[in-house]
Amino acid sequence: MAELGSVDVAEPMSPAEATKSGAGSADRHDLLQHSREFLDFFWDIAKPEQETRLEATEKLLEYLRARPKGSEMDYALQRLITGLGVGRETARPCYSLALAQLLQSFEDLTLCEVLQQIQEKYDLQKVKKAMVRPALFAHLFGVLALFQSGRLVKDQETLLKCVKLLQDLSHHHNHLQEQPQKALVDILSEVPESMLKDILPKVLKADMAVVLSSPENLELFLLARRKVPAKLEKLLGPVDLFSNENIPRLVNVLRVAAASVKKERKLPTLALDLLRLALEENKFPRFWSEVLEQGLLQKPFPPASFLCFRLLGAALPLLSKKQLQLVMRGVIIQQYGEHLVTAKLPDRFKFAPEMDAYVGTFLEGCQDDPERQLAMLVAFSSITNQGHPVVPTFWRVVRFLSPRALKDYVAWLQDMFLQPNLDSLVDFSTSNQKKNQDASVHVPERAVFRLRKWIILRLVSIVENAQVEKEEALVEEVARFCLFHSFFETKKPTPQIPETEQQLSFALDSRTREVVCNAFFSLLQALSTQFKQTTDGQPWTYRLVQFTDMLLNQNRNVATITAFTEQQRQAWDQMLQTLKGLEARSKEVKAKAFQHLLLLVGIHLFKSPTESCDLLGDIQTCIKKSLEEKPRRTRSKATESQEPPWVEVLVEILLSLLAKPSHLMRQVARSVFGHICSHLTPHALQLILDVLNPNKSQDEDDNVVVTDDSDETQLKTKTAKDKSQENSDSEEEEESDEEESDEESRDRDVDQGFREQLMAVLQQGKALGGVDSEDEEELGDEAMMALDQNLASLFAEQKLRIQAKKDEKSKLQKEKVLRRNFQIRVLDLVEVLVTKQPENLLVLELLEPLLNIIRRSMRTSSSKQEQDLLHKTARIFTHQLCRSRHYCHDVGNHAEALHAQVERLVEQAGHQADSSVALYFFNASLYLLRVLKGNTVSAPPLKTPKKQKAGTKAPEAQTTSCLDLKRVTLVYSSALSSFLTKRNNPLTIPMFLALFCRHPVLCKNLIPVLVQHVAGKVQPRQQSQACMLLQKALSMGELKPCYEGSEWEQLISQILEKVTENLQTLGKAQTKPEQQKELSSLELLITLLKMAHLQKLTVDLTAILGLLQGLQPGLQQSLQQGGHTAGSSRLYDLYWQAMKFLGVQRPKSEKKDAKEIPSDPQGPVSLKRKKKGFLPETKKRKKRKPEVAAAEEGATKEGAAEEGAKPAAASENQPPSSGKKRRRRKRAKASAQSPANGKPAASSPDPCSPLTNPGASASPSPSPPAKTPKLRKKQKLAEVNGVPPPESAGKKQQKELSGKSLQSDPPQKKARLALANGNASLLQSGAKKKKTHLKKGGKP
């Protein structure tokens, strides 16, 4: 740091300038600034953020390039060398990298000198014991810096020194471990061959025992073998690294290398180099089998296993097809499969993502070789755990397959499904499975079932995967394969049906067909949503139906698993005829929806024949009637027929389809209902509402039977069983926990009846004992055996009874879950109706059922299904119903019922226990008000254009609304009165504000209720709420047009009287509700005064002015004494806001006193502030004496006219704060001349003036009201242009008006005239005169 003091960083100066003292100090200042910038680079280099380090290194290099020969270079080199041995381990690599960049940029710095400085700085012979470890790391990072500079391999002398230093550092294994040897290998790998020949004898000993002693020495050996094989052979002679003698040593070295990269989880380069060497010497089978499988994996060691897995993945692109077959059928691949099975448990490391990355890289790299791709996928698909492949059915690497490889892979999967070759599989069992499973489980049938189940799911996942490029023929092939083996079997092979030519080695049992059937319907859903149509424009479902019809017609060659009855076959044929009719009308959207429904139910004819047969007949009848029905068919004609309307039948069908947990059924039902909801009848809607009604849905479960996906649950249970066999140890613990829980539940469930039965058995067996103890001795062996048998039977019955209760409880819980899921699916129909038919009258019937669901779910929303039902219902009700732009415009004769419903909803909203539920009921009533307001009493008949011209009163008939304003007003007025009187009311202020905003006419009728509760015998909390509601209501712009003539002014006056009455006790609040009442009253008063001022209303303000002026001393005194509460400051601010609208300005003396308090030299506050920091005496602004200030004020008065004549010029030459100072002096003088603080003397001696009364005489205005910025700007512009200022004209008008008002009007009307003429107040006339005299230089 001493060197930096002499560094001349600034530009050179002349000798004359250097002799000056000022120049010397400036030079030191500049040097200090540059030094700070320079030193900051080294701090930033050691920071953990990489971007900051790199940026600091670049700036340091740029700084040094500008001064290459200065002392900064020496300091930077020393500082970076010092940083190599700092205590912070994270900072050492940062300094090493910066040093490397420095040496790379400045080649004039010799590496030998830098290395010598590092060794002198950190001499291991002289360093203290506590600094040995940092010194060792400093040497290591110093060598690395020299190597990273790129210049070390060119300097042989320094290179030899670095090699010697690294060899010395390798002896300190406790601190550095293998880092010096790894650094040596990295350095020698970059050395030229000629230089390596000279260095090799110095770093590698001619002993294979030493070579095979550590991974680093072996890496040096492999490096020399790769770069200088002749020199290595001359040094060691011919070496067979994979000989029988060297293999055990290789295994130990690989084990150490695997342990060294345990935390990094990467493949050691040594293992990959050995693999490449084995491939070069054609000794790969020996290396793979003896070194890895029989050596490294002989003992269980997880790092060694993961090394083998990573080596397997990295070796895939290097191996031939024959070598791949060897690798994929060995011990390593079996252990990998076992790892995939056991790693499914939580808190286990999962290697599958890494292997997927290896396989994906391999498949992506051999796109031109489909055979290698197929061999790889077949190999991984053949790794099975008791028949079940370990790779997932949805494997992302399939997307890298070429079309040919994908086609061949699908063909292999189909062949393995039909003729499972268990011998070709690499099958294994885990250790737990071997211990716990019986021999009877290991049968070929079980393995075949598990394999077929995986294969069919893999086929479906290939089609469903959108990232896999598939041809349409491949998709159709998979779909036909699944369909055929789900519902058909082959009688006689025929070339017309390729599926019949495939032979089965193991017959398909019922379980397999169920799995294939479920997979087929999953595939059908994917085909209907993703692909939708084939290239010829037909739906995929229709093409599969055609294929199914062809199979049904081939009776000699194909047979169905369950034969069709005549009725079912007739339903199938009729369905095909209906499909042909719909195909002719395929351009209609409705026809497409019906076609989709018919096709889906038709295919379900094979899964559930009886139910689907009935549905097909009903659907065809409904389709026929809906397509033949006239578009304007009235409801009367529909109700005349005895049979139910087709819409109701179709709604029942859709509900039955929604009862099945099929996503495809749900989509089809939603689509079909969207096309028939315009024909919906009240009874059809009631069918939907009965499902949503919680009471009816629980009592009337016979209408719709909710079914569970039994096939999927069976599959899940089977897979769970398979997993349990793999992890039986954990399951045994779980079973023991379940047994303990069963015992605890048994103890809890013991009832009195069981106790009595137990006592009876014990008494019968004489086991209880009585008064005589001899009875116990007389109990023999036979009696004991009989007693044990009776007790066992009794406890067995009790156990069965408890289990029956548990089963019943779980069954009820399961039924409840299914019912809730069914209701969630049925809500889809409600959402479709509300979205597509918002103007339908039936939508109004949805309000109360939806509200009942919300109210019930809010009480019992514990389960996930209840929460989902609540969220979906609330979303439909709020966003799609109440906030919809469209609504019913044809209420007709239902106006009376809607009014009654409004009354009912508002009443129910007031009776709710939760405000969130009450909000939904209140919003429903607002929606009905909107509907009633938008409808007319009687719609006029349709007229021709001539009649429309002749009729002039038709538009008047349309404007008459159905809304009964008086009736609705009574409803909401009672609700509002209840809200303002009852304490625990669920209604809130935002609810009524929404009512006021949407219906201003109704707000006008409710205003008297609010005014009534502003003051009087009402609780303070309700008064505060009434004031807030009134304030928000009056602020709405839609309310004033509802009043005619002087009604608005009368309303404002009436509210003002109530507020005046409410403010009698201002500042005397003791409780929080009273404080809130005062604040709300003042806010309402401010709103009233603001409206009166802006709208120029004639309002008497003398009463409120006198009241507020009388309260001012008390408020100011309480604020100054500090005895106010937290809301008093807010109250005081609102008070002066109100006084401002009344023409009285807030006094400034308080702020002036507050500024003068810390300037007191005797106060403790000033002493504290003086200690914190102070300016020099030369910098302090001297305080002006009072005489000087008075003289300046006189000069200001004399030059006031000149300043007023040239305000623009003065503003340019003076600082911005001069005007403020001048105004402050004027105000201070005016306040000093006043008789009391805040009480100016009255300027008008007229006894009729408001200032003569006591309230006015106590006005706290110390100065005339300040002009607005607009008024000042206008006055300046007028004076510059030579025009008299507008203020003079305003004063003339004010004087004339004041004279006239004083002569003709009584004193009470002067404030009204002042507000009507737009002036602030007549109370300011005296103050304005005083200001005019001051400007002219006279005295007031």
Side-chain angles (χ1 to χ4, degrees), residues 805-820:
K805 289 182 180 179
K806 287 184 179 180
D807 295 342
E808 184 67 22
K809 185 177 180 180
S810 62
K811 181 181 178 182
L812 293 176
Q813 187 68 23
K814 186 178 180 181
E815 289 179 356
K816 183 179 179 180
V817 172
L818 291 175
R819 193 181 299 113
R820 292 294 173 264

Side-chain angles (χ1 to χ4, degrees), residues 1027 1031 1059 1062-1063 1066-1067 1075-1089 1104 1108 1111 1115 1128 1130-1139:
C1027 291
Q1031 179 192 359
V1059 174
N1062 216 10
L1063 293 176
L1066 184 65
Q1075 295 174 5
Q1076 187 63 35
K1077 182 195 74 171
E1078 292 180 352
L1079 294 174
S1080 303
S1081 301
L1082 281 176
E1083 290 175 353
L1084 177 58
L1085 175 62
I1086 293 170
T1087 303
L1088 294 173
L1089 296 176
I1104 188 65
L1108 294 180
L1111 295 173
L1115 291 175
S1128 296
R1130 167 74 175 158
L1131 184 71
Y1132 198 66
D1133 294 339
L1134 291 176
Y1135 168 81
W1136 281 111
Q1137 288 182 25
M1139 294 295 288

Side-chain angles (χ1 to χ4, degrees), residues 64-120:
L64 293 177
R65 287 192 189 102
R67 302 162 181 83
K69 297 182 180 180
S71 61
E72 285 96 337
M73 179 66 72
D74 299 335
Y75 177 79
L77 190 60
Q78 293 178 7
R79 183 70 181 269
L80 293 178
I81 291 175
T82 305
L84 297 175
V86 295
R88 290 179 297 164
E89 296 182 359
T90 56
R92 297 167 190 163
C94 307
Y95 285 110
S96 176
L97 180 60
L99 180 60
Q101 295 290 330
L102 180 67
L103 295 176
Q104 184 180 6
S105 301
F106 299 94
E107 295 186 358
D108 54 341
L109 298 174
T110 59
L111 300 183
C112 189
E113 293 180 358
V114 173
L115 181 62
Q116 185 178 359
Q117 291 182 17
I118 294 174
Q119 291 178 340
E120 292 176 357

Side-chain angles (χ1 to χ4, degrees), residues 94 174 191 207 382 531 567 747 767 771 901 948 1044 1052 1131 1256 1304 1329 1335:
C94 307
N174 293 334
V191 171
D207 187 4
S382 301
F531 303 95
Q567 183 181 2
D747 295 338
V771 181
Q901 191 175 7
Q948 286 181 358
E1044 298 178 356
I1052 299 299
L1131 184 71
S1304 59
K1329 290 179 181 179
K1335 282 191 175 183

Side-chain angles (χ1 to χ4, degrees), residues 559-792:
T560 57
I561 303 300
T562 56
F564 276 3
T565 62
E566 295 181 1
Q567 183 181 2
Q568 294 168 0
R569 185 55 192 265
Q570 185 179 1
W572 175 267
D573 295 336
Q574 290 179 358
M575 180 199 70
L576 294 177
Q577 294 178 2
T578 308
L579 286 175
K580 291 180 181 179
L582 292 174
E583 191 176 1
R585 309 177 62 171
S586 59
K587 295 183 179 180
E588 300 180 9
V589 182
K590 184 192 295 186
K592 290 183 179 180
F594 285 141
Q595 184 185 21
H596 200 180
L597 176 63
L598 203 59
L599 289 170
L600 186 60
V601 178
I603 291 182
H604 274 79
L605 188 64
F606 294 91
K607 187 176 182 180
S608 52
T610 306
E611 181 182 358
S612 300
C613 183
D614 299 336
L615 289 178
L616 277 176
D618 296 337
I619 292 173
Q620 293 176 35
T621 304
C622 296
I623 290 174
K624 184 177 180 181
K625 290 184 178 181
S626 65
L627 295 177
E628 294 177 356
E629 185 184 19
K630 296 180 180 179
R632 292 192 177 277
R633 183 181 180 186
T634 59
R635 292 184 181 177
S636 59
K637 294 182 180 179
T639 54
E640 287 177 0
S641 58
Q642 296 180 356
E643 61 181 5
W646 63 270
V647 178
E648 299 177 8
V649 178
L650 196 55
V651 167
E652 290 182 352
I653 294 172
L654 295 180
L655 290 175
S656 63
L657 295 179
L658 287 176
K660 299 178 181 180
S662 172
H663 186 66
L664 181 59
M665 288 284 192
R666 186 174 180 177
Q667 289 181 340
V668 173
R670 186 185 179 98
S671 176
V672 173
F673 186 77
H675 296 289
I676 68 170
C677 60
S678 59
H679 306 274
L680 205 64
T681 61
H683 187 266
L685 180 62
Q686 190 61 37
L687 294 175
I688 300 174
L689 297 180
D690 289 343
V691 178
L692 300 176
N693 190 357
N695 298 325
K696 292 186 177 181
S697 62
Q698 293 178 5
D699 298 336
E700 302 176 2
D701 291 337
D702 299 334
N703 296 334
V704 179
V705 180
V706 183
T707 59
D708 192 8
D709 197 351
S710 59
D711 301 322
E712 293 182 0
T713 52
Q714 289 178 3
L715 288 177
K716 290 179 182 178
T717 53
K718 291 172 184 175
T719 54
K721 290 180 181 178
D722 297 336
K723 292 180 181 178
S724 65
Q725 293 172 359
E726 298 167 2
N727 311 313
S728 60
D729 293 341
S730 59
E731 286 194 352
E732 287 178 357
E733 297 177 358
E734 293 176 358
E735 289 177 0
S736 62
D737 296 338
E738 290 178 358
E739 289 176 0
E740 293 177 0
S741 61
D742 292 341
E743 292 176 359
E744 294 176 0
S745 61
R746 265 203 309 273
D747 295 338
R748 288 196 306 266
D749 295 338
V750 174
D751 53 358
Q752 190 63 28
F754 175 70
R755 292 180 183 273
E756 294 177 357
Q757 293 178 4
L758 182 61
M759 294 292 291
V761 171
L762 293 176
Q763 289 178 358
Q764 184 179 0
K766 299 180 180 180
L768 285 178
V771 181
D772 301 332
S773 60
E774 297 177 356
D775 296 339
E776 297 180 1
E777 299 176 359
E778 294 177 359
L779 199 63
D781 294 339
E782 296 180 358
M784 288 291 294
M785 294 295 293
L787 179 62
D788 291 343
Q789 186 175 3
N790 293 335
L791 289 176

Side-chain angles (χ1 to χ4, degrees), residues 137 140 144 166 175-184 216:
F137 275 102
L140 176 62
L144 290 177
L166 290 175
H175 296 290
L176 302 178
Q177 297 181 356
E178 300 87 5
Q179 298 301 324
Q181 297 172 342
K182 291 182 179 180
L184 181 60
E216 291 76 18

